[in-house]
Amino acid sequence: MIEQFTPPAPQAGGDPEPVRFLDDAGAYDPSATAEAFADELDAATHDDLRQWYRDMVMTRAFDTECTHLQRQGQLALWVPSVGQEGCQVGLARAAEPQDHIFPAYREHLVAHVRGVGLLNVAAQFRGLSHGGWDVTDPANGNFHLYTLVLGAQTQHATGYALSQVLDAKRRAGSTVLDAGEPAIETGDATMVFYGDGTTSQGDANESLIFAASYQTPEVFVVQNNHWAISVPVTRQSRTPLYRRALGFGMRSVQIDGNDPLAAFAVGRRFLREARTGGGPGYIEALTYRIGAHTTSDDPTRYREPGELEAWQLRDPIARFEGYLRSLGIDDAFFEETRTWATAEARTLRDQILTLPEPEADSMFAHVYTEPHPRVEEQREWLARYESSFAETDGGRA
Ligand SMILES: Cc1ncc(C[n+]2csc(CCOP(=O)(O)OP(=O)(O)O)c2C)c(N)n1
Ligand SMILES: [Mg+2]
């Protein structure tokens, strides 16, 4: 039986400190709020921690490479995740294989950890596929498709989590799904990622209502990177975002999103509670988008340089490196990791540049499950159009 979660009491004059284990330089210095989650860290061995560091350095090298590729005209668009690797690695590593993960569009590190592969992520931004990867393929780690329609993934996730409840009920011999019932043990959970700006979407709020009503085994993760393109989070919410979830009747915690240990500990606890009949939870990860919103954006138009510099001092990779050094991991490991990641990113670049182009006809596949007359009409039109080149000048090359 799961103990009812009691949110930390607000301190005099404000909110509790965000959950944090590492100080800005990476020294182990837990906040008072971290204590309740500290035992979760027992699950992470030193080998695991080294792997998390590799995940972060690798993803950043790939991310930087993709920004360059977009500038060279090789990707249509790129969405950088630089600065947000800390919460992504902790949360990705907190999930179990049977859990399902619904991303927005900036969760490259989570895609990497779940097995989707960074090449698949880049292929989508090269315009080679509608979705990017086959979600039903077990190799893709139950990592669902990137969703650029803000908040839509919260509905997909809550719908999926409802099915997890229904499956568990079926196994117990019942087929009735009722709002207002206590949470039940499902054995698997759903985690959904979205941004601070997306908390303003109706979809995201409706999802919280359904999750709370049906007690879905779900963890909502808001990466509060402080900006929704050019709109600061302070314009979207007059309260810290984690407090909104409390109003929906959900356990909710604010964490230091540049601290992988905080993300892992709280993520692991909330996911386990979700799987074992504790109902949904909400994590607000305080982080910062170091780069542009996308390669189509110029953040110098709306951000103060001082703000960026302050957050650069809390870079999750440098910070985690400080922690690993305090555990006795030496220079050779960091040097080796950086060299390896640079080489991997180069290999990925070469692979991206030689990815096969899909048949134009494939754009009509999967639009509807059944054949559709409008789609057929357009498919035929395209075929006629393409063949018209062959008849006139022998090809368009
Ligand atoms: C429904 C919808 N409205 C508007 C947009 C345009 N748009 C794309 S990203 C974005 C900002 C999202 O900010 P946030 O949720 O904080 O996520 P972040 O990009 O910072 O990770 C907006 C307004 C969209 N993609 N979908
Ligand atoms: Mg944001």
Side-chain angles (χ1 to χ4, degrees):
M1 187 66 195
I2 288 290
E3 260 185 12
Q4 196 58 40
F5 174 79
T6 318
Q11 292 171 339
D15 290 278
E17 255 190 296
V19 174
R20 165 180 68 67
F21 290 94
L22 303 180
D23 73 9
D24 287 357
Y28 190 81
D29 179 21
S31 59
T33 45
E35 227 165 81
F37 297 95
D39 57 350
E40 300 294 341
L41 297 180
D42 295 344
T45 64
H46 283 197
D47 274 353
D48 292 336
L49 301 180
R50 272 195 283 264
Q51 184 57 46
W52 301 4
Y53 182 81
R54 280 191 210 102
D55 295 339
M56 290 200 281
V57 173
M58 172 65 228
T59 307
R60 186 169 293 187
F62 160 78
D63 203 307
T64 308
E65 191 63 57
C66 284
T67 296
H68 296 159
L69 284 172
Q70 194 282 333
R71 294 296 186 239
Q72 292 159 19
Q74 297 294 346
L75 299 182
L77 179 79
W78 183 245
V79 186
S81 66
V82 175
Q84 299 185 208
E85 297 94 342
C87 45
Q88 291 192 17
V89 76
L91 290 158
R93 291 286 171 192
E96 295 289 340
Q98 73 272 24
D99 296 333
H100 278 250
I101 299 184
F102 290 75
Y105 41 73
R106 211 184 283 287
E107 286 71 41
H108 313 319
L109 199 156
V110 189
H112 173 57
V113 167
R114 295 299 282 191
V116 160
L118 294 170
L119 187 61
N120 268 327
V121 173
Q124 184 171 7
F125 288 96
R126 196 167 160 84
L128 300 179
S129 75
H130 285 315
W133 43 89
D134 179 357
V135 173
T136 61
D137 182 343
N140 290 329
N142 297 334
F143 186 78
H144 290 251
L145 299 183
Y146 273 4
T147 305
L148 277 79
V149 180
L150 301 179
Q153 77 275 24
T154 63
Q155 304 243 330
H156 305 155
T158 302
Y160 193 85
L162 280 168
S163 77
Q164 288 173 318
V165 176
L166 194 54
D167 280 348
K169 288 204 141 196
R170 284 216 179 97
R171 288 195 293 270
S174 160
T175 52
V176 184
L177 188 63
D178 264 335
E181 288 188 352
I184 60 165
E185 179 148 357
T186 50
D188 50 7
T190 291
M191 178 155 61
V192 55
F193 286 87
Y194 54 112
D196 45 288
T198 304
T199 64
S200 297
Q201 290 289 129
D203 279 5
N205 290 278
E206 288 158 17
S207 298
L208 293 173
I209 291 175
F210 272 81
S213 297
Y214 288 90
Q215 288 294 289
T216 53
E218 198 169 355
V219 178
F220 292 85
V221 174
V222 172
Q223 285 178 88
N224 178 356
N225 63 10
H226 290 80
W227 291 90
I229 313 184
S230 57
V231 180
V233 64
T234 45
R235 199 170 305 159
Q236 306 230 20
S237 181
R238 287 174 190 262
T239 72
L241 298 173
Y242 87 95
R243 277 212 217 156
R244 290 189 172 170
L246 298 173
F248 286 88
M250 220 174 263
R251 61 186 182 287
S252 180
V253 160
Q254 192 180 48
I255 66 167
D256 180 332
N258 285 7
D259 175 354
L261 297 181
F264 178 78
V266 177
R268 200 174 132 82
R269 172 76 55 83
F270 276 23
L271 282 165
R272 187 174 60 249
E273 288 179 348
R275 277 182 227 112
T276 54
Y282 189 101
I283 300 172
E284 180 193 3
L286 296 171
T287 183
Y288 197 75
R289 161 170 56 77
I290 295 290
H293 170 71
T294 67
T295 45
S296 305
D297 171 49
D298 173 7
T300 62
R301 300 280 293 272
Y302 54 83
R303 291 199 309 205
E304 295 295 334
E307 180 182 290
L308 175 62
E309 284 157 20
W311 278 93
Q312 275 169 326
L313 294 175
R314 311 177 63 214
D315 185 306
I317 298 184
R319 205 166 158 194
F320 202 57
E321 182 170 328
Y323 176 57
L324 295 185
R325 283 183 189 278
S326 76
L327 298 179
I329 294 171
D330 62 11
D331 276 346
F333 168 73
F334 300 108
E335 203 45 52
E336 214 173 86
T337 303
R338 278 191 285 269
T339 308
W340 163 79
T342 308
E344 285 287 297
R346 266 198 208 127
T347 305
L348 276 164
R349 179 186 61 195
D350 295 343
Q351 288 171 334
I352 291 166
L353 295 177
T354 53
L355 278 169
E357 293 217 357
E359 292 292 320
D361 190 61
S362 69
M363 77 174 87
F364 302 106
H366 311 304
V367 177
Y368 295 104
T369 39
E370 303 287 327
H372 188 286
R374 283 290 288 151
V375 172
E376 285 312 309
E377 199 182 297
Q378 289 177 16
R379 184 201 294 272
E380 281 158 24
W381 180 89
L382 183 69
R384 275 200 308 279
Y385 177 75
E386 290 286 334
S387 61
S388 72
F389 292 99
E391 282 157 21
T392 52
D393 63 10
R396 275 189 299 161

